[in-house]
Amino acid sequence: MIALVIVGIIVVLLVLAVLWSIATYNRLVRQRNQVQDSWAQVEVQLKRRYDLIPNLVETVKGYASHERQTLEAVTQARAGALSASAPAEQAASDNVLTGALRSLFAVAESYPDLKANQSFLSLQQQLDETEGRISYSRQYYNDAVLHLNNMVRTFPTVLVASTAQIGPEQYFEAAPEEQAPVAVHF
């Protein structure tokens, strides 16, 4: 009789362990899917940005044809960003592109006619809006990565994560100059 009770307790504990493992695995899969979905949203916004850049370059090219080096740098940075795939690689190429775009807008400051051009202004506004969307998408992605990474690195979830080969994901990190405080000069 005592042996039967002990066997019953062991069976109940095993069933609870299996149920917990299944529930934990399902949570990990849902969170990994959330990370993948949020990365897809980052990619959508980056693609929108990449699609706006050729139009912006063409508009500037008409006014600043002798600024060839800056225009080529933007074009090359865009091509590099389009070929990147992993979050870390994408972040690095995006940082290069951001620097090239800053140079392009600095060139635009030298051309009053360009700054007043409606096409340029519209593209610049669309790019600014897209930058905000990218920032939001990047934050959402990094939040999803944080949640997943916390799950796969804490005990006892780490046991199920390692068995299911679900590991931590990479953050989409800003360039060091984007992390620095903005300097305001009067």
Side-chain angles (χ1 to χ4, degrees):
M1 178 81 167
I2 292 178
L4 199 58
V5 170
I6 292 174
V7 168
I9 290 173
I10 291 173
V11 167
V12 167
L13 289 176
L14 286 175
V15 167
L16 288 175
V18 167
L19 291 175
W20 174 84
S21 296
I22 291 170
T24 300
Y25 175 78
N26 288 339
R27 273 194 328 236
L28 286 166
V29 168
R30 279 192 301 275
Q31 190 57 41
R32 182 180 57 193
N33 291 342
Q34 180 68 37
V35 168
Q36 291 169 348
D37 178 61
S38 60
W39 177 248
Q41 295 305 313
V42 170
E43 287 181 322
V44 165
Q45 297 308 322
L46 290 174
K47 180 168 180 357
R48 175 177 160 75
R49 179 188 198 199
Y50 304 151
D51 290 345
L52 288 171
I53 290 171
N55 296 331
L56 189 64
V57 167
E58 287 301 315
T59 303
V60 173
K61 195 183 287 185
Y63 284 88
S65 59
H66 65 280
E67 300 287 353
R68 183 181 187 118
Q69 185 178 13
T70 301
L71 298 173
E72 287 177 357
V74 171
T75 302
Q76 290 173 351
R78 178 184 178 267
L82 283 170
S83 66
S85 57
E89 186 181 331
Q90 188 73 50
S93 63
D94 187 65
N95 292 332
V96 170
L97 181 59
T98 298
L101 284 173
R102 285 183 183 148
S103 297
L104 181 68
F105 286 123
V107 165
E109 290 294 318
S110 303
Y111 297 90
D113 290 343
L114 174 60
K115 289 187 341 186
N117 180 290
Q118 289 303 315
S119 178
F120 177 77
L121 292 174
S122 173
L123 289 167
Q124 190 175 23
Q125 179 183 5
Q126 289 178 45
L127 197 58
D128 284 344
E129 291 170 2
T130 301
E131 293 295 331
R133 292 176 183 169
I134 290 170
S135 178
Y136 175 79
S137 297
R138 186 168 64 185
Q139 177 185 356
Y140 185 74
Y141 169 77
N142 283 341
D143 289 345
V145 168
L146 174 66
H147 190 119
L148 177 67
N149 289 352
N150 284 340
M151 288 177 69
V152 300
R153 290 183 173 146
T154 56
F155 185 82
T157 310
V158 68
L159 301 173
V160 175
S162 62
T163 303
Q165 298 180 343
I166 298 175
E169 294 286 336
Q170 295 176 329
Y171 290 100
F172 191 117
E173 296 182 13
E177 62 271 5
E178 288 184 44
Q179 296 173 355
V182 176
V184 177
H185 302 284
F186 294 101

